[in-house]
Amino acid sequence: MIEECGRRGKTMVEKRQLFMDMRAQNYDVIRLSTYRTACKLRFVQKRCNLHLVDIWNMIEAFRDNGLNTLDHSTEINVCRLETIISSIYYQLNKRLPTTHQISVEQSISLLLNFVIAAYDSEAHGKLTVFSVKAILATMCGGKILDKLRYTFSQISDSNGIMMYMKFDQFLQEVLKLPTAVFEGPSFGYTEHAVRTCFPQQKKISLNMFLDTMMADPPPQCLVWLPLMHRLANVENVFHPVECSYCRSESMMGFRYRCQQCHNYQLCQTCFWRGYASGSHSNQHQMKEHSSWKSPAKKLGHAISKSLGCVPSREPPHPIYPELPEKPLDLAQVVPQQRSLPNMNDAMVSHSVISSGAPTPTKRLQHGLDMANRLADEHDLIAVYVSRLQNGTRFLESPSRLDEEHRLIARYAARLAAEAGNTQRSTPELAFNFDANKQQRQLIAELENKNREILQEIQRLRLEHEQASQQTPEKAQQNPTLLAELRLLRQRKDELEQRMSALQESRRELMVQLEGLMKLLKAQAAGSPRLSPSHGASRPMPMPVRSTSACSTPTHGPQDSLSGVGGDVQEAFAQGARRNLRNDLLVAADSITNTMSSLVKELHSADEGCEDEEEAEKLQNGKERG
């Protein structure tokens, strides 16, 4: 009980969701009830994915579920209805490519809830077979001509004449669709609906039924049905014309042209909402266009029409035979076997019958002729077998092989004749509903594959165009590229700082080297008996650290030696372009050599001083003694 209540609650929510989505499309602002009803039913058809199911696939689903063997007044419960709808959508997914699969569970739920809301508003839980056929055959995809032919096959008798009571029942069922989308006041069922379609009570054949339903305008109660199919055909039609009201540069769908105002055209949105501007009025007669023809084509058509080169307009539908097609019952048309005295006489008589028979013009006469031929062939076989079983002389007769050859020749001729007749009767077999079912399925699959390939080509083309039109600004928006650029800039700053530090260290070494060289020159120019105090009293030049060590170096190697003595600059003038590392090593070696020579001189000066002191001490001792 709890599960049933939960299921009902879920059903109500899904049913409300469908109608809420339909109300969100704002179809109620359409001024004309015919367009308003057609747009709503088209929305329900696409929302339930019924536009992908052809009328022939729907008929096949009816046969697979055994509806063709049930009476129209038979009632089926909701569970069986759900089974029928499930088989329709599962078969649809098998036909569709993998990239265009639909949500089967959602489609089943939406369609089942819509059917129950439209045909079981009192919650009886049962629907008639005729109701199921009427709603599914009307709401599915396909041509309106095929739908009307199937509808006539359900409401006609065995003689191919429409039954008014059945047609009235069909109107009751099919007019529940506008009522389900809240358009009952405009297209609800009335007792006089049949008379509005066929005012004269006369025999209605298939051709008369199609003429009435596909007339312009159609019957008032069913005027929304052909409009719904026209909406499906013009959804992707492009008109390179400017709308006279909204000033849109192009139109999609229908295009409406005023018959009184010069070059006044409206898009379907403005026309449906009753918009008008200037001297145009909604009372003016408008012509509906479902395609676009360039002025050159219009001029060529007008010239051809004036010269009488345009062929007469074809009828809206082909002319079908008055009598319905019936399967042949061979048990009634095959005559009884007759005994033939001789095999040769049988062959001669069969050749006379087969050659003298006129060419059939109708399928029934053709079937009778084929049945007679089969009967003659059976008679020949029976006589031949009886002679083989009863007489031994026949087996020993030399003419036995000749008769076998003649029998084989007759069979070959009959097969060839049947093949030719089959080829000639192909247009007649085209009227059967299921004759070309496999071909239609193959064509539908090829069209779907072609559509899929075209979409893939368009997608690849757009991707290629987007890739080719990518600007540097878009490339800079890439976070990976920005991170790499940031790392490169940091690395560059680190290298520049290190370069600046090395340049400053080199400059400091050069300054120290300059001071040492000045000291050596001063010692070489002075007295060799120079006191160590004089040498130690000279101030040692200290390195001065530049405040621009962290700045980016923009000077060359020669500029880095600014402030250094001329001797060092001359020493490094020839090797300005050498490697910085080699310069530093050479400078370090020179500093080391200079220091070692300075230490040696200092040691030699100390030894000289000590000798002089000892000599003075000895002299002083002698004087005292």
Side-chain angles (χ1 to χ4, degrees):
M1 186 68 182
I2 297 176
E3 293 179 356
E4 185 178 357
C5 294
R7 186 180 302 174
R8 288 182 180 178
K10 183 179 179 181
T11 302
M12 292 298 296
V13 170
E14 292 175 348
K15 182 173 67 174
R16 291 174 183 174
Q17 184 64 34
L18 178 62
F19 289 113
M20 288 175 60
D21 294 342
M22 184 179 66
R23 289 185 182 276
Q25 302 296 322
N26 201 17
Y27 291 128
D28 292 329
V29 300
I30 299 178
R31 183 170 55 95
L32 302 176
S33 60
T34 305
Y35 288 95
R36 189 168 60 245
T37 305
C39 289
K40 290 180 178 180
L41 292 177
R42 175 62 179 171
F43 172 79
V44 174
Q45 183 188 47
K46 296 180 67 176
R47 189 74 171 80
C48 298
N49 290 316
L50 278 176
H51 66 292
L52 302 175
V53 184
D54 193 74
I55 179 62
W56 304 107
N57 304 129
M58 194 66 70
I59 296 172
E60 184 180 0
F62 294 160
R63 293 181 178 178
D64 293 341
N65 290 274
L67 296 185
N68 58 328
T69 60
L70 300 177
D71 188 74
H72 287 172
S73 59
T74 304
E75 293 183 347
I76 59 176
N77 54 16
V78 178
C79 295
R80 185 167 183 182
L81 176 62
E82 186 176 1
T83 304
I84 296 171
I85 296 175
S86 301
S87 65
I88 292 172
Y89 285 115
Y90 279 114
Q91 292 296 327
L92 172 62
N93 252 2
K94 290 180 181 179
R95 294 190 298 268
L96 293 177
T98 55
T99 56
H100 295 75
Q101 297 289 305
I102 64 172
S103 177
V104 176
E105 298 297 333
Q106 182 182 7
S107 301
I108 293 173
S109 177
L110 291 175
L111 181 57
L112 182 63
N113 294 326
F114 178 74
V115 172
I116 293 174
Y119 287 84
D120 191 23
S121 58
E122 298 180 359
H124 293 304
K126 292 184 179 181
L127 286 83
T128 62
V129 174
F130 190 73
S131 300
V132 175
K133 288 184 176 181
I135 184 174
L136 294 181
T138 304
M139 292 297 295
C140 70
K143 298 180 180 180
I144 186 174
L145 177 63
D146 298 331
K147 292 184 179 181
L148 294 176
R149 287 180 61 193
Y150 176 73
T151 301
F152 187 81
S153 67
Q154 301 297 311
I155 62 176
S156 60
D157 56 10
S158 58
N159 296 322
I161 303 300
M162 186 190 74
M163 294 184 290
Y164 282 89
M165 184 172 59
K166 283 282 188 181
F167 181 68
D168 182 71
Q169 184 181 359
F170 168 75
L171 290 180
Q172 292 181 21
E173 302 297 338
V174 78
L175 291 180
K176 290 179 181 179
L177 294 173
T179 306
V181 293
F182 314 106
E183 296 296 333
S186 300
F187 298 103
Y189 172 77
T190 60
E191 296 180 355
H192 306 286
V194 178
R195 293 183 181 179
T196 58
C197 298
F198 300 100
Q200 300 179 0
Q201 296 291 332
K202 60 181 180 179
K203 294 182 178 181
I204 304 298
S205 62
L206 175 59
N207 294 319
M208 297 175 62
F209 179 78
L210 295 178
D211 289 337
T212 303
M213 293 298 168
M214 301 183 68
D216 190 15
Q220 180 61 30
C221 60
L222 296 174
V223 67
W224 51 269
L225 182 59
L227 180 59
M228 184 176 69
H229 289 79
R230 295 205 307 273
L231 280 174
N233 294 330
V234 301
E235 282 183 347
N236 298 321
V237 175
F238 177 77
H239 304 271
V241 181
E242 182 183 6
C243 178
S244 300
Y245 183 84
C246 64
R247 299 301 176 183
S248 177
E249 296 181 355
S250 59
M251 306 179 189
M252 293 292 292
F254 287 119
R255 174 171 56 91
Y256 298 91
R257 186 183 185 93
C258 182
Q259 301 298 302
Q260 298 182 18
C261 303
H262 175 68
N263 198 20
Y264 191 88
Q265 303 185 70
L266 293 176
C267 61
Q268 64 179 16
T269 303
C270 297
F271 176 75
W272 289 353
R273 285 160 175 75
Y275 296 152
S277 61
S279 61
H280 178 71
S281 173
N282 291 329
Q283 304 300 326
H284 292 181
Q285 185 179 3
M286 303 289 288
K287 185 176 181 180
E288 182 182 274
H289 296 273
S290 59
S291 62
W292 161 256
K293 291 183 180 179
S294 62
K297 289 185 177 180
K298 291 181 180 179
L299 179 60
H301 182 75
I303 295 174
S304 301
K305 187 176 181 180
S306 62
L307 297 177
C309 300
V310 179
S312 59
R313 182 173 298 179
E314 297 180 357
H317 63 84
I319 305 301
Y320 297 98
E322 297 294 335
L323 296 176
E325 297 179 355
K326 299 179 181 180
L328 294 176
D329 188 3
L330 298 180
Q332 299 179 1
V333 299
V334 175
Q336 298 181 356
Q337 293 185 358
R338 59 184 185 277
S339 59
L340 295 178
N342 193 358
M343 190 67 160
N344 295 330
D345 296 340
M347 292 181 180
V348 171
S349 63
H350 173 71
S351 64
V352 171
I353 293 173
S354 61
S355 62
T359 303
T361 58
K362 296 182 179 180
R363 291 188 62 194
L364 184 60
Q365 186 65 27
H366 175 69
L368 292 174
D369 185 69
M370 293 300 297
N372 291 331
R373 292 186 179 184
L374 289 174
D376 292 338
E377 296 292 344
H378 294 167
D379 290 339
L380 291 175
I381 295 173
V383 172
Y384 188 74
V385 171
S386 62
R387 293 184 64 179
L388 287 176
Q389 292 177 353
N390 298 329
T392 56
R393 295 181 180 179
F394 178 74
L395 295 174
E396 299 175 356
S397 174
S399 62
R400 179 177 63 86
L401 295 176
D402 296 337
E403 292 181 355
E404 289 180 356
H405 293 167
R406 291 176 183 175
L407 184 61
I408 294 172
R410 291 305 310 159
Y411 265 96
R414 181 177 64 82
L415 292 175
E418 288 180 357
N421 292 330
T422 302
Q423 293 177 358
R424 288 193 298 270
S425 62
T426 300
E428 297 176 358
L429 295 177
F431 297 119
N432 192 358
F433 287 166
D434 299 331
N436 297 329
K437 182 175 65 176
Q438 295 180 354
Q439 295 181 1
R440 286 194 301 272
Q441 292 179 355
L442 180 60
I443 292 173
E445 292 177 359
L446 293 176
E447 289 178 351
N448 291 331
K449 291 181 180 179
N450 186 23
R451 194 179 302 110
E452 181 182 357
I453 292 172
L454 292 177
Q455 292 177 358
E456 186 68 18
I457 292 173
Q458 185 67 18
R459 185 184 64 82
L460 294 175
R461 186 178 300 167
L462 291 176
E463 290 181 357
H464 178 70
E465 291 178 355
Q466 293 176 359
S468 62
Q469 293 178 0
Q470 189 173 8
T471 59
E473 290 78 4
K474 294 182 179 179
Q476 292 179 1
Q477 296 176 0
N478 192 346
T480 305
L481 295 178
L482 291 176
E484 292 179 357
L485 289 174
R486 196 176 297 110
L487 291 175
L488 290 175
R489 288 173 181 172
Q490 293 178 0
R491 183 62 177 169
K492 179 183 177 182
D493 295 338
E494 293 175 358
L495 293 176
E496 289 177 351
Q497 293 176 3
R498 186 176 178 183
M499 184 69 180
S500 177
L502 292 175
Q503 291 285 355
E504 188 64 25
S505 300
R506 181 188 179 192
R507 185 176 180 278
E508 292 173 358
L509 291 174
M510 295 299 106
V511 170
Q512 294 177 6
L513 181 61
E514 178 69 19
L516 293 174
M517 293 179 70
K518 286 181 180 179
L519 183 60
L520 292 176
K521 287 182 179 181
Q523 291 178 357
S527 175
R529 301 186 61 85
L530 181 64
S531 175
S533 60
H534 294 286
S537 63
R538 283 187 178 274
M540 177 68 82
M542 297 300 293
V544 180
R545 186 168 185 83
S546 176
T547 58
S548 62
C550 296
S551 61
T552 302
T554 57
H555 49 75
Q558 291 294 334
D559 297 336
S560 62
L561 299 177
S562 60
V564 184
D567 297 332
V568 179
Q569 290 184 2
E570 291 177 1
F572 285 88
Q574 300 298 328
R577 296 183 180 180
R578 292 183 298 175
N579 193 2
L580 178 61
R581 182 179 179 182
N582 297 332
D583 295 342
L584 293 176
L585 291 175
V586 171
D589 293 338
S590 63
I591 291 172
T592 303
N593 296 330
T594 305
M595 292 295 293
S596 60
S597 61
L598 179 61
V599 170
K600 289 179 181 180
E601 291 181 1
L602 291 175
H603 282 296
S604 61
D606 293 338
E607 290 177 356
C609 291
E610 291 177 358
D611 293 338
E612 290 178 356
E613 289 177 358
E614 289 177 358
E616 289 178 357
K617 286 179 180 182
L618 290 174
Q619 187 177 1
N620 292 330
K622 288 179 181 182
E623 290 177 357
R624 290 175 183 178

